[in-house]
Amino acid sequence: GENVEQHPSTLSVQEGDSAVIKCTYSDSASNYFPWYKQELGKRPQLIIDIRSNVGEKKDQRIAVTLNKTAKHFSLHITETQPEDSAVYFCAASKRGPGGSARQLTFGSGTQLTVLP
Amino acid sequence: DGGITQSPKYLFRKEGQNVTLSCEQNLNHDAMYWYRQDPGQGLRLIYYSQIVNDFQKGDIAEGYSVSREKKESFPLTVTSAQKNPTAFYLCASSTIPGQGTKNIQYFGAGTRLSVL
């Protein structure tokens, strides 16, 4: 099955600096890669995603890059703010057997702390 | 906020007891999922369902059971066979392939289960 590895497990940056979180996946059939943000005690929420036919996607201060050949993808947050502090999860997704509902395999998460 | 309701927020289980976690969605999604979240391990898939009266095992289904009698509801039972049930349980729902290209998963607020 799919295996997703995420690094680093913790990351501290100064406010205004950039943060980068990296993930690798094992299954070449995975074709959709979402990133979720989970604030303490709250539900995970999708912040950005990318499909395998695109190499990069940007949404304001957040960007995701994908290297299909190397099977890795990264989240980039620029001009970090204290409210960016949270746990970030990457995931890899493919359709289930017989084209059924997508299954997400998550990385282990990165605790990002933005220091004021 | 979300359209997915999980209850209760906190649940305590005694030894040898089965407990049921509720998940209801009003997003008209066909697919529903249950994940377990442990510290430092990300989210792991327990069961998923893409249609009423049908469900599939995920990566860690042992000790759990589900039912899908209604499109809106996907309850999870943690049985006495699950020897280490203490965790944060998250329910999610999404459209299925053919109803959109991404099938984004939206999460409920979670249930925290502890063993007495």
Side-chain angles (χ1 to χ4, degrees):
Chain A
E2 175 69 280
N3 182 48
V4 177
E5 296 197 356
Q6 183 172 345
H7 300 280
S9 57
T10 60
L11 178 60
S12 293
V13 299
Q14 290 293 137
E15 183 177 357
D17 288 350
S18 295
V20 180
I21 302 171
K22 299 182 179 181
C23 290
T24 61
Y25 63 100
S26 61
D27 191 341
S28 56
S30 290
N31 60 1
Y32 172 62
F33 306 91
W35 285 87
Y36 285 83
K37 174 183 179 181
Q38 187 177 27
E39 297 178 22
L40 189 62
K42 296 192 175 180
R43 71 190 75 196
Q45 293 196 308
L46 181 74
I47 55 170
I48 195 167
D49 54 15
I50 191 168
R51 292 182 62 83
S52 59
N53 59 351
V54 176
E56 183 174 358
K57 183 177 177 181
K58 195 171 183 179
D59 182 4
Q60 299 183 346
R61 297 186 297 108
I62 295 173
V64 57
T65 59
L66 171 65
N67 183 327
K68 281 195 304 181
T69 303
K71 295 200 191 104
H72 68 69
F73 55 113
S74 301
L75 178 71
H76 304 253
I77 306 174
T78 59
E79 301 172 21
T80 54
Q81 301 167 3
E83 52 265 37
D84 294 330
S85 296
V87 178
Y88 291 81
F89 293 98
C90 63
S93 170
K94 63 179 181 179
R95 289 190 181 191
S100 65
R102 285 188 171 276
Q103 299 177 58
L104 286 178
T105 301
F106 284 85
S108 55
T110 296
Q111 173 67 63
L112 174 64
T113 302
V114 179
L115 305 168
Chain B
D1 186 21
I4 303 175
T5 302
Q6 289 187 242
S7 62
K9 190 172 182 179
Y10 299 97
L11 187 58
F12 298 91
R13 194 192 88 167
K14 296 179 181 179
E15 292 288 337
Q17 186 181 42
N18 293 352
V19 292
T20 298
L21 285 60
S22 171
C23 179
E24 304 274 335
Q25 54 98 1
N26 61 5
L27 301 171
N28 198 33
H29 286 165
D30 282 293
M32 296 186 74
Y33 312 79
W34 274 105
Y35 292 92
R36 171 178 170 143
Q37 186 174 25
D38 294 281
Q41 293 193 45
L43 285 70
R44 292 181 290 168
L45 182 65
I46 305 172
Y47 269 98
Y48 69 100
S49 166
Q50 67 166 351
I51 195 169
V52 173
N53 293 324
D54 183 64
F55 44 83
Q56 307 294 329
K57 292 182 179 180
D59 299 320
I60 56 166
E62 186 174 350
Y64 300 97
S65 66
V66 293
S67 63
R68 187 87 185 276
E69 296 178 2
K70 298 187 300 181
K71 184 177 181 178
E72 301 79 18
S73 178
F74 191 39
L76 173 74
T77 296
V78 184
T79 74
S80 58
Q82 173 49 245
K83 298 306 179 187
N84 184 24
T86 297
F88 189 51
Y89 290 86
L90 285 160
C91 177
S93 71
S94 75
T95 55
I96 59 173
Q99 295 177 341
T101 57
K102 294 183 182 177
N103 316 124
I104 295 169
Q105 290 189 21
Y106 296 93
F107 286 85
T111 292
R112 191 165 298 279
L113 176 62
S114 301
V115 177
L116 291 177

